[in-house]
Amino acid sequence: MTPADTGASTTVDAAASVSSSDAPDARDSRMAPGGPGYRRMSLALFLAGVATFALLYSTQALLPLISGDMGVTASDASWTVAAATGGLAVFVLPMSALSERFGRRTVMTASLAVAVTVGLLVPFAPSLPALVALRAVQGAALAGLPASATAYLAEEVTPRALVTAIGLFVAGNSVGGMSGRVITGWVAQEWGWRIAVGAVGALAVACAVAFRLLLPAPKHFTPGSLRPRVLVHTVRGHLANPLLRRLYAIGALFMTVFGGVYTVIGYRLAEAPFSLPQGLIGSIFLVYLVGTVSASTAGRLVGRLGRRGALYLGGGTTAAGLLLSLAPSLPLVLLGLVLITAGFFTGHAVASSAVGKTATHGRAQASALYQSAYYVGSSSGSTVGAVAFHSGGWAGTVGVGLLAVAGVVAITVLGSLAARRQTAKTPVRIFGLTR
């Protein structure tokens, strides 16, 4: 079947064939570290990641203040996060189809433009339902970023540099998540949550303008089809791939942990025995810097341990952090958050880059399905984590996280067993004979 039949670009399929070999190709015109355009591209997508996560989770550190201002419970306030991530999860696949037709850079630019505009309106929401609705629209707009960025990198960056390049984009996510929460924490302490959210919107505007000025024009993109039948065929093909299904589930489960922990942590730290002020609660999110490092080094980790080994390490680190966070000691809670963050960003970078390498056509759709599962995990983790906290305290939220980590480990074990069975079935040729 030709790329035109599947809606994939011919250059993506060519990229897939190149990625099957690690041998360098002097004729490869795609970007690589040290080559022309690579630094501009890396900085542009890093800034796009900053804007995406800063906007997407702009209310997460402010939930206790929103609860108090609007007179709602933690589970009600958590919908300001869940609506944004849910909107992204629903619209990421349609947005990826638009990027196949109109181009990755065009869709990413339009998405950021709409998202930052809505971000400047969020501070004026008169009620919780209005705030939730605006956040849902913002999440839907941001859906054009993750899958399009991953597809852009898969097409424009050499296979050897792909994991590192995606890791830098994910690192931008971590910086955005951190800076948005730290800024909102301190600004809200002085001027309230509305001014804090407006400050994040202003930061995102600056990142969006710099992104558009810096990102190199694509050279390896070929427009695909927007026909629904073609999209359905492509999506069905991806969902029929057992490895892709496992990667989607792993992304969702990792994000269930992360979404639950960081939605609820502000409530825990505001209560006894910690009773921290809002500014210090926001500063807790500086641990996102750990995610910046772990995501950007994921490529080297996969090189040493293999993909499944890196996933085991990410899951184990996350579980250790969850257990440590149960301690009634602030230093141990902070260490637990460090381990949770490092384990999550490692697992996310490894799984998302594996999707780009596994899909042989329609990579935007393959990445979109991953992002959809990932943000479904975020949305459900935010909601379930808040409900568990409301009914069982922090231990309830940790219990939800440990169940999700157990799912990651179980799926990775199944992948290892499947790989062994496949290896056992593969015939070995010796001197031209099959045995």
Side-chain angles (χ1 to χ4, degrees):
M1 181 171 290
T2 66
D5 292 329
T6 62
S9 68
T10 54
T11 53
V12 171
D13 292 325
S17 65
V18 173
S19 66
S20 64
S21 173
D22 289 332
D25 186 351
R27 297 169 298 175
D28 196 336
S29 60
R30 287 172 291 179
M31 288 180 283
Y38 186 84
R39 286 187 178 180
R40 287 181 56 205
M41 176 275 300
S42 298
L43 179 57
L45 289 179
F46 180 86
L47 292 173
V50 169
T52 299
F53 256 47
L55 289 172
L56 194 63
Y57 294 101
S58 59
T59 63
Q60 194 172 58
L62 304 173
L63 294 181
L65 293 181
I66 293 173
S67 290
D69 182 44
M70 295 187 168
V72 297
T73 65
S75 56
D76 289 335
S78 70
W79 280 104
T80 64
V81 179
T85 54
L88 193 153
V90 170
F91 280 88
V92 68
L93 188 57
M95 286 292 197
S96 73
L98 291 177
S99 82
E100 288 281 9
R101 179 65 183 87
F102 299 108
R104 321 300 186 195
R105 189 169 70 161
T106 299
V107 170
M108 287 189 285
T109 301
S111 294
L112 273 179
V114 174
V116 299
T117 300
V118 176
L120 297 177
L121 297 175
V122 165
F124 302 100
S127 63
L128 182 64
L131 178 58
V132 170
L134 284 172
R135 295 282 292 148
V137 173
Q138 193 172 47
L142 288 170
L145 263 296
S148 297
T150 305
Y152 176 93
L153 289 170
E155 293 166 352
E156 305 296 331
V157 175
T158 59
R160 278 176 172 266
L162 182 59
V163 176
T164 299
I166 291 179
L168 288 172
F169 175 64
V170 174
N173 294 168
S174 70
V175 170
M178 175 202 69
S179 59
R181 290 164 170 91
V182 172
I183 290 170
T184 56
W186 286 105
V187 173
Q189 183 169 300
E190 297 295 328
W191 296 289
W193 70 268
R194 295 180 185 275
I195 299 297
V197 172
V200 171
L203 169 68
V205 168
C207 289
V209 172
F211 160 80
R212 186 60 182 84
L213 293 175
L214 288 170
L215 189 68
K219 297 181 179 178
H220 299 274
F221 169 74
T222 300
S225 172
L226 270 178
R227 290 177 296 169
R229 181 180 62 83
V230 174
L231 178 61
V232 170
H233 178 80
T234 303
V235 168
R236 187 177 298 165
H238 292 325
L239 293 178
N241 186 319
L243 175 55
L244 287 177
R245 289 201 303 268
R246 289 194 294 269
L247 292 171
Y248 298 154
I250 286 171
L253 290 169
F254 265 121
M255 197 53 170
T256 297
V257 181
F258 200 67
V261 165
Y262 277 101
T263 294
V264 173
I265 190 64
Y267 289 97
R268 188 189 185 206
L269 295 178
E271 295 178 350
F274 307 113
S275 303
L276 298 183
Q278 186 63 43
L280 285 179
I281 291 174
S283 297
I284 295 299
F285 292 93
L286 285 169
V287 298
Y288 264 51
L289 289 172
V290 176
T292 304
V293 175
S294 63
S296 60
T297 58
R300 291 197 294 272
L301 190 62
V302 171
R304 292 181 180 179
L305 302 178
R307 183 178 66 243
R308 287 186 290 273
L311 290 173
Y312 285 130
L313 180 61
T317 303
T318 303
L322 287 168
L323 293 173
L324 265 180
S325 72
L326 290 167
S329 163
L330 185 59
L332 289 180
V333 171
L334 294 179
L335 179 58
L337 290 176
V338 166
L339 294 177
I340 292 167
T341 303
F344 161 74
F345 276 104
T346 296
H348 171 40
V350 171
S352 60
S353 61
V355 169
K357 286 189 172 183
T358 302
T360 57
H361 67 275
R363 282 186 174 174
Q365 281 75 45
S367 297
L369 288 169
Y370 175 83
Q371 297 294 335
S372 183
Y374 175 81
Y375 285 108
V376 164
S378 176
S379 185
S380 60
S382 299
T383 303
V384 175
V387 170
F389 180 78
H390 184 71
S391 61
W394 181 250
T397 302
V398 168
V400 171
L402 289 173
L403 285 174
V405 171
V408 169
V409 173
I411 292 169
T412 307
V413 169
L414 289 175
S416 300
L417 295 175
R420 289 179 184 176
R421 288 195 297 268
Q422 184 63 35
T423 301
K425 292 178 181 178
T426 302
V428 179
R429 296 184 65 84
I430 301 178
F431 299 117
L433 299 176
T434 301
R435 54 175 297 185

